[in-house]
Amino acid sequence: MRPFTRRLREALPSPRASVAPCTKTLSRPLARQYGTSSSPRTIAATTLRQQQRRLFAARSIHTSSRMRKQQKTQEHTPTSFQDLDVLGNVPVPSTSVDVCMYDGFGLNSGITITDGDGALLVDGEAFTWRPWEITGEMRLLNDKGQFDVPAEAFGVFDMLWPRPARLGQLANSMIDLLVIGTGKSIAPLSPELKKHISSLGMRLEVLDTRNAASQFNLLATERGVTEVAAVLIPIGWQEGIGAGE
């Protein structure tokens, strides 16, 4: 019996030998498949993160393409300047200048000033203005090329009540700005005329007649005709001839 038992034990494999090969054959395929010897729970977490990255990348591509389409749509949308006009609903003053003619002006009220006369616009009223009649000569410029008319040409501002504030005093009149249009081209004012107008308590803005009329229209609409006045010479004015010929 002993020799037979010994031969049987030698013929059968030992328990250690039967376990070791199984462990090796199971671990190698897992290492090849996942590229690591990590646990299945770690492998599942890694796979989930990879899927989330792909999903986020797809979302970002879709969002960026949608933003580009919106930007293109905004670029091709025309701008409406009427929406930017903050004074669109403000009524235009009746003394605003609609057209500057060669020998006069057309006002919003329908009044037309012609025959080469200038325009004096003050406190919502319109008057013809002929400063050259004071000297008797059809001249508005002095020898230095400066716009120089007699102080009497602005006598209407002396009759305003409340009177404009004198220099250094508090203003007691609403009119504080005088816009002067010197004709087709701009001309500087003489020092004497500047001093006289400043003594009436008004600030000055000197422009060519077209721009002066536009500036008066804007300021009179924005601030009111009681704060802004204007004197305008026709754009067809010529020294020594006038604008009515």
Side-chain angles (χ1 to χ4, degrees):
M1 291 295 294
R2 289 182 179 177
F4 177 76
T5 304
R6 185 181 300 168
R7 287 195 298 272
L8 182 60
R9 289 178 178 175
E10 292 175 356
L12 293 175
S14 63
R16 293 180 179 178
S18 63
V19 174
C22 293
T23 304
K24 292 181 180 180
T25 54
L26 288 175
S27 60
R28 288 174 183 172
L30 287 173
R32 293 195 188 103
Q33 181 178 357
Y34 298 106
T36 179
S37 59
S38 304
S39 63
R41 185 175 299 177
T42 305
I43 295 171
T46 304
T47 306
L48 179 61
R49 284 196 296 269
Q50 293 176 353
Q51 292 177 355
Q52 289 176 346
R53 291 194 190 101
R54 296 193 188 99
L55 179 61
F56 292 155
R59 286 181 179 176
S60 63
I61 293 173
H62 177 70
T63 304
S64 59
S65 62
R66 183 172 58 187
M67 291 177 63
R68 284 195 294 269
K69 290 181 181 179
Q70 291 178 353
Q71 291 176 354
K72 289 182 179 180
T73 304
Q74 293 176 356
E75 290 176 357
H76 294 287
T77 302
T79 301
S80 176
F81 290 100
Q82 293 181 352
D83 298 337
L84 304 178
D85 187 7
V86 296
L87 300 176
N89 296 326
V90 179
V92 179
S94 60
T95 53
S96 62
V97 182
D98 283 351
V99 58
C100 293
M101 299 181 293
Y102 180 85
D103 62 343
F105 305 91
L107 305 183
N108 180 262
S109 61
I111 295 176
T112 302
I113 298 175
T114 56
D115 298 330
D117 293 341
L120 190 153
L121 311 174
V122 56
D123 200 20
E125 301 291 339
F127 305 92
T128 57
W129 193 53
R130 306 185 188 95
W132 52 86
E133 289 186 350
I134 300 174
T135 60
E137 297 180 3
M138 302 294 288
R139 298 185 64 85
L140 299 175
L141 305 179
N142 59 17
D143 296 337
K144 297 180 179 179
Q146 300 169 336
F147 189 83
D148 189 13
V149 297
E152 292 80 4
F154 300 92
V156 65
F157 297 103
D158 282 328
M159 296 185 293
L160 291 178
W161 187 266
R163 294 178 61 82
R166 302 298 176 180
L167 190 63
Q169 297 179 356
L170 295 177
N172 54 8
S173 173
M174 297 296 290
I175 295 178
D176 65 346
L177 177 64
L178 177 63
V179 181
I180 298 180
T182 58
K184 186 177 181 180
S185 59
I186 188 172
L189 265 63
S190 66
E192 294 79 9
L193 184 57
K194 283 184 179 180
K195 183 178 179 180
H196 174 68
I197 296 176
S198 296
S199 69
L200 295 175
M202 293 184 296
R203 295 180 293 113
L204 273 172
E205 187 162 356
V206 182
L207 301 164
D208 63 273
T209 294
R210 284 193 178 93
N211 286 319
S214 177
Q215 184 73 344
F216 171 77
N217 292 346
L218 175 63
L219 295 177
T221 304
E222 181 183 13
R223 300 172 53 182
V225 293
T226 58
E227 296 188 22
V228 184
V231 289
L232 307 172
I233 298 298
I235 58 176
W237 175 267
Q238 299 181 37
E239 286 289 287
I241 300 175
E245 300 296 332

